[in-house]
Amino acid sequence: MATWFKSLLLLVLAVTVAVLLRRYEGDVLILLPEWRVQLTLARAVAVVLLAFVLLYFVLRLISWALAIPERLRGWRQRRVQKRDMELLEQGWITLLEGRYAQAEKSLTALLDQAKPQRRKVLAALSAARAADELGEFERRDSLLVSAADHAAGDDSLAQAVMLVGADMQLNQGKPADALARLAPLQETASRHLHAQRLFLRAHYALGHHEESFALVRALSRRGVLDTAEARAILGTTAAARLRGSQGDDWRKVWKDLKSEERLLPEVALAGAYCFDEAGHPEEAGKILEAAINDSLDARLIEAYAQCDAEQVSRRLEKAEKWLHRNADQPELLRALGTLCLEGQLWGPAERYLMRSVQLKNDSRTHVLLGSLYDRLGKADDALRHWRLASKAHLGRLPELQRKSYLPAADTQADPKIRDADDSFGSLGRYPAAVAAAPVAVVLDEIEADAVTVPFAAMHDELEADAMVVPPAEAASAVVADLGTETRRRGNEPAPDDVPPADAVAGLDDFDEYFDSAPLPYPLDAEGAEAASQDKPAAPQDKNS
């Protein structure tokens, strides 16, 4: 709009001059030594304007020629700045993308070639961040030192170097070094929110509860910290201050807490503990009740259930009111069961605990039920719940297989067994003690009567002691035991059913018949004695 206005004004002025010159005609006489120039007024004005324009362009040309060196220096600076900015942008983009090696390479190149002080500090800090992400802490520290050297004399740059270095040391898990680096900012940290947050992280990691409590309060008032984070730090630090107080100093700490801070679960637990230790269980109960009314925390409910018998009735009444509003709270049901156990109310205790364990399979609830049933004399139920408590606490347990006996070895294709069969002669493939008819009768009777306890006991004993029985002695023992068993049951074996002595002695060469499975019948005292009396002498080796 301004351009149009100026153009219109110039046009009006030109028309006005042309009209005046046309109306007032005259001559312009210029007298010079030996020269006389006479022009009309219009031509004289045109010549003056043309001379002005020519003079203007000549002066501009001279000015442009004189400014060439300055423009060349500016062009070089702009080219260097553009190159530095490209490296800086590339380094930042790759740093944000997570390509830390490439980012460190670009930023280190910028640090080497950059001229301005601020750009060097910025490149060094960014490269230190990339080296920190790569875990190259020595290279990171050297870059921080370089940044601090370039930032000398500039307070804002020096402060930036300290804050970035402290942040990286906190992330590395060195709060003491970070706190030492932040020490120069101690007095001015109240005006710098990021510095206060770094101080809070360092003090909290080092367990400085007094400083952490003051800092988290200040940051909470300014709305810097998240509510959940602030509550967690407040609860931890305030509880640590209460528990770490000497003598009655905890009372001063408790009075210094705000009402909303006392409702935090950690603070309420610590306060209740202090009052309980001081001999004021009623006050401890009131603290826990106020905190439970604010948040139904499982830790508060568990602590509320731990009381003396004098406090049981009052706490039961309060807990039942909470149960009306939270009927499906397993921790609250377990707490009611615990209070009933403390008050020796066995029936309500069982009901509350059974409801709790139906809602949540918890090891502590099973332990309480096991103690209750043990008190009531129900040993089987107590043992069952104690086993369930172990399973609930440890998670999935390996399933142990029941003990089983190995099947008889298949020896049909063994040539040694055929040779052994020949040594038995008319006894057949197996010893007569195994194939005899009374033995089968005895086996059927034993199987019908389910006589399994001696067999299992003998199997355990064999497994525990790693007993190795020679084949000949094992066969003699089996034969003697079978004979004893049949005599004890009233079935005297026929003389033809008893194997000859040479057949039994031939079991020395029959090694593969008995495998590593346990013996199927126990050797009692009578059977062992009979086996020792009836055992024939071992045959002599054929080669000896």
Side-chain angles (χ1 to χ4, degrees):
M1 188 66 184
T3 304
W4 284 101
F5 179 76
K6 292 178 181 179
S7 300
L8 181 61
L9 182 61
L10 183 61
L11 180 61
V12 171
L13 182 61
V15 172
T16 303
V17 172
V19 171
L20 290 176
L21 292 176
R22 184 177 182 82
R23 183 175 179 180
Y24 300 99
E25 296 182 357
D27 295 332
V28 176
L29 182 61
I30 301 174
L31 299 176
L32 295 173
E34 300 180 356
W35 291 92
R36 180 181 178 181
V37 180
Q38 185 176 357
L39 298 171
T40 61
L41 181 59
R43 289 183 178 180
V45 171
V47 169
V48 170
L49 292 177
L50 182 59
F52 174 78
V53 172
L54 290 175
L55 181 62
Y56 173 78
F57 279 109
V58 169
L59 292 177
R60 288 296 304 268
L61 182 61
I62 294 172
S63 174
W64 178 83
L66 294 175
I68 288 178
E70 185 65 26
R71 287 200 304 273
L72 184 59
R73 285 192 296 268
W75 175 78
R76 288 177 178 176
Q77 291 178 358
R78 287 192 299 272
R79 186 180 66 174
V80 171
Q81 182 178 4
K82 181 180 179 181
R83 183 181 57 192
D84 293 348
M85 293 303 297
E86 288 178 353
L87 283 175
L88 185 60
E89 290 177 359
Q90 182 182 359
W92 278 352
I93 291 173
T94 51
L95 181 63
L96 294 175
E97 289 177 349
R99 295 185 291 160
Y100 302 115
Q102 183 65 29
E104 184 184 3
K105 181 180 179 181
S106 301
L107 294 168
T108 305
L110 175 61
L111 176 62
D112 295 336
Q113 71 184 25
K115 300 299 182 182
Q117 178 187 13
R118 289 180 172 271
R119 203 171 298 163
K120 280 183 172 293
V121 174
L122 188 60
L125 291 179
S126 302
R129 176 69 72 180
D132 180 73
E133 294 292 344
L134 290 173
E136 300 291 342
F137 301 119
E138 294 182 359
R139 197 158 64 238
R140 176 205 66 187
D141 294 338
S142 64
L143 288 169
L144 288 175
V145 171
S146 176
D149 294 339
H150 292 299
D154 193 328
D155 294 338
S156 61
L157 290 178
Q159 186 176 359
V161 172
M162 285 186 286
L163 292 175
V164 172
D167 188 19
M168 288 189 287
Q169 285 180 330
L170 285 173
N171 293 335
Q172 188 185 355
K174 294 183 176 181
D177 297 340
L179 194 60
R181 185 181 290 271
L182 291 171
L185 302 176
Q186 185 72 41
E187 297 180 357
T188 61
S190 58
R191 300 190 300 269
H192 201 296
L193 295 179
H194 183 57
Q196 280 189 314
R197 294 195 65 169
L198 293 178
F199 271 110
L200 174 60
R201 290 175 59 189
H203 285 299
Y204 186 69
L206 292 172
H208 300 163
H209 302 297
E210 295 290 340
E211 294 82 357
S212 301
F213 183 76
L215 286 169
V216 73
R217 263 189 171 182
L219 292 173
S220 298
R221 285 195 302 267
R222 303 178 70 173
V224 178
L225 289 179
D226 182 66
T227 304
E229 182 183 3
R231 285 173 61 90
I233 299 176
L234 270 174
T236 304
T237 54
R241 292 176 66 208
L242 286 170
R243 296 183 184 274
S245 300
Q246 301 293 333
D248 290 340
D249 293 342
W250 62 270
R251 296 182 182 274
K252 182 179 178 180
V253 176
W254 181 257
K255 291 180 181 179
D256 183 55
L257 295 174
K258 299 178 182 179
S259 58
E260 60 271 14
E261 294 172 350
R262 295 180 181 180
L263 298 179
L264 298 174
E266 295 85 357
V267 180
L269 289 171
Y273 172 80
C274 293
F275 276 102
D276 199 18
E277 290 293 319
H280 302 288
E282 298 85 359
E283 191 66 25
K286 292 179 181 179
I287 293 172
L288 292 174
E289 290 168 5
I292 293 174
N293 288 327
D294 182 69
S295 63
L296 203 64
D297 192 271
R299 296 169 295 174
L300 296 173
I301 297 173
E302 189 71 23
Y304 191 72
Q306 308 300 324
C307 64
D308 297 332
E310 294 79 6
Q311 303 289 324
V312 169
S313 59
R314 180 179 179 278
R315 297 197 179 190
L316 267 177
E317 183 180 357
K318 284 284 186 181
E320 287 174 351
K321 291 181 180 179
W322 295 328
L323 186 62
H324 289 313
R325 299 194 299 266
N326 305 275
D328 296 333
Q329 186 71 21
E331 290 81 9
L332 187 56
L333 289 168
R334 185 176 66 243
L336 281 165
T338 305
L339 290 171
C340 291
L341 287 177
E342 188 68 32
Q344 298 186 3
L345 304 174
W346 313 129
E350 183 180 10
R351 289 195 298 271
Y352 285 131
L353 293 175
M354 289 302 296
R355 286 178 57 188
S356 175
V357 81
Q358 289 173 0
L359 295 173
K360 181 180 179 181
N361 186 24
D362 190 80
S363 60
R364 290 172 293 182
T365 310
H366 283 297
V367 169
L368 292 174
L369 281 170
S371 301
L372 171 62
Y373 288 131
D374 184 61
R375 174 65 178 80
L376 297 177
K378 300 179 180 180
D380 294 338
D381 292 336
L383 182 59
R384 179 170 60 88
H385 279 286
W386 283 333
R387 288 175 176 172
L388 291 174
S390 302
K391 185 176 181 180
H393 180 70
L394 298 176
R396 184 179 181 276
L397 297 177
E399 295 184 3
L400 303 180
Q401 299 292 334
R402 294 183 177 273
K403 295 178 180 179
S404 59
Y405 297 103
L406 297 176
D410 185 7
T411 59
Q412 296 179 1
D414 196 334
K416 295 182 180 180
I417 303 304
R418 294 195 182 97
D419 297 339
D421 291 344
D422 297 338
S423 65
F424 284 118
S426 62
L427 292 178
R429 186 162 180 261
Y430 298 100
V434 180
V439 176
V441 175
V442 172
L443 290 175
D444 293 338
E445 292 179 359
I446 292 176
E447 184 177 359
D449 295 341
V451 183
T452 59
V453 176
F455 301 162
M458 181 179 179
H459 177 265
D460 294 341
E461 182 179 357
L462 288 173
E463 285 186 342
D465 298 337
M467 182 184 298
V468 179
V469 182
E473 297 180 6
S476 302
V478 170
V479 172
D481 181 63
L482 289 175
T484 304
E485 187 68 25
T486 52
R487 287 195 301 271
R488 185 163 52 245
R489 292 178 176 269
N491 296 326
E492 285 292 331
D496 296 337
D497 295 334
V498 179
D502 56 349
V504 176
L507 289 176
D508 285 335
D509 296 332
F510 196 35
D511 294 340
E512 286 76 15
Y513 179 77
F514 292 100
D515 56 8
S516 60
L519 296 176
Y521 301 104
L523 292 175
D524 53 6
E526 183 179 356
E529 182 179 359
S532 61
Q533 293 176 1
D534 298 337
K535 177 180 178 181
Q540 295 294 330
D541 193 350
K542 297 178 181 180
N543 298 327
S544 61

